[in-house]
Amino acid sequence: MIVAKNIYKSFGDLQVLKGIDLHIKKKEIVAIVGPSGAGKTTLLQILGTLDQPNKGAFLSINNQETLDLKDKKISKFRNSHIGFIFQFHQLLPEFTALENVCIPGFIAGKLKKDVVKEATEILNYLQLSHRLNHHPNELSGGEQQRVAVARALINKPDVIFADEPTGNLDSATADSLHALFFDLRDTFGHTFVIVTHNLELAKMADRTLSMKDGLII
Ligand code: ADP
Ligand code: MG
């Protein structure tokens, strides 16, 4: 599903990633752990095509070599194949839960009625049917993150990248969100790559990669 080779990343003189190779299988749930500043977010952004590695790297997602894709093509690929969940939900405050989930579907150019139907079904599945028309600030932290999960799912991505998705939640809410990731994988076959400080999640994952100083150790 994901093959990454020779991933280096520098910001000016600062070398943040120092040669990462990894291979993630379809339906795998991989946790990435490591101290703050290790380069976890940078790696996730590069794997998710939101940032570019230094020259000489190789990255393929679902058999597509993504580093060759430019501008519109990479945006389109990302929109239809990749979902993101961030630590702070990053929902748009002026839109309702339903609208937030629909937006990536509209960007994909699907019919409005199909997107709304799909978004409603996903939100129902995530037990948010009573929150469709609420704005993010009217939702609990756990509900906000479930809306963010629904948004990540709307275009049926192959892989979901999550950067400390439960870092801002109490432990019971975090546990239920983790359980949801495994349920989604088992039910729909998504692949998950999750940066986390949560040791319970790291233990549950199929595999845990530990990062330190820009390397997987
Ligand atoms: P982690 O997520 O493991 O805490 P990051 O990938 O966010 O680590 O950051 C790794 C290092 O790269 C840190 O020293 C950080 O300051 C630096 N860094 C991250 N993004 C940038 C950037 N856009 N410009 C300069 N330095 C950056
Ligand atoms: Mg980080």
Side-chain angles (χ1 to χ4, degrees):
M1 158 65 55
I2 302 171
V3 180
K5 291 179 192 160
N6 226 19
I7 306 285
Y8 288 79
K9 178 70 178 180
S10 306
F11 295 107
D13 289 343
L14 180 69
Q15 198 172 28
V16 174
L17 299 180
K18 300 177 181 168
I20 295 211
D21 295 276
L22 55 79
H23 192 159
I24 293 169
K25 292 195 274 282
K26 192 166 169 52
K27 297 191 190 182
E28 222 182 350
I29 296 189
V30 174
I32 299 178
V33 301
S36 180
K40 304 179 300 294
T41 293
T42 304
L43 177 63
L44 209 69
Q45 299 265 328
I46 288 173
L47 296 176
T49 75
L50 291 170
D51 200 356
Q52 285 279 338
N54 296 358
K55 282 203 167 48
F58 175 88
L59 176 61
S60 99
I61 298 176
N62 212 14
N63 294 318
Q64 170 69 54
E65 291 188 28
T66 56
L67 299 178
D68 299 339
L69 298 177
K70 296 276 173 308
D71 307 328
K72 275 189 185 159
K73 279 191 176 153
I74 192 66
S75 305
K76 186 160 189 284
F77 178 84
R78 190 187 307 124
N79 174 259
S80 52
H81 294 276
I82 300 176
F84 293 94
I85 304 165
F86 303 96
Q87 178 172 3
F88 302 99
H89 54 79
Q90 300 200 1
L91 299 171
L92 298 173
E94 65 274 38
F95 292 100
T96 65
L98 181 63
E99 289 164 344
N100 267 283
V101 175
C102 286
I103 289 167
F106 296 150
I107 291 171
K110 297 181 193 163
L111 284 179
K112 182 173 177 196
K113 72 169 181 19
D114 294 343
V115 174
V116 171
K117 181 166 176 282
E118 181 76 27
T120 306
E121 282 172 11
I122 297 170
L123 286 163
N124 289 348
Y125 188 84
L126 301 185
Q127 296 174 354
L128 288 164
S129 53
H130 56 314
R131 294 285 184 270
L132 300 185
N133 297 313
H134 288 235
H135 288 77
N137 67 359
E138 299 165 331
L139 301 171
S140 70
E143 288 170 339
Q144 289 169 345
Q145 274 311 51
R146 295 213 302 287
V147 175
V149 171
R151 178 183 55 183
L153 294 173
I154 184 75
N155 288 335
K156 301 191 167 66
D158 304 304
V159 55
I160 293 166
F161 293 102
D163 196 352
E164 303 194 35
T166 55
N168 201 30
L169 301 177
D170 65 76
S171 65
T173 309
D175 289 348
S176 69
L177 198 71
H178 295 151
L180 175 64
F181 294 156
F182 287 83
D183 171 53
L184 290 169
R185 183 272 298 274
D186 295 342
T187 310
F188 302 107
H190 297 300
T191 306
F192 281 89
V193 183
I194 309 170
V195 169
T196 188
H197 287 294
N198 187 293
L199 296 177
E200 295 297 316
L201 174 60
K203 265 191 249 163
M204 283 160 74
D206 299 321
R207 196 148 59 99
T208 298
L209 304 175
S210 295
M211 282 190 73
K212 197 179 171 202
D213 291 337
L215 286 168
I216 292 173
I217 51 171

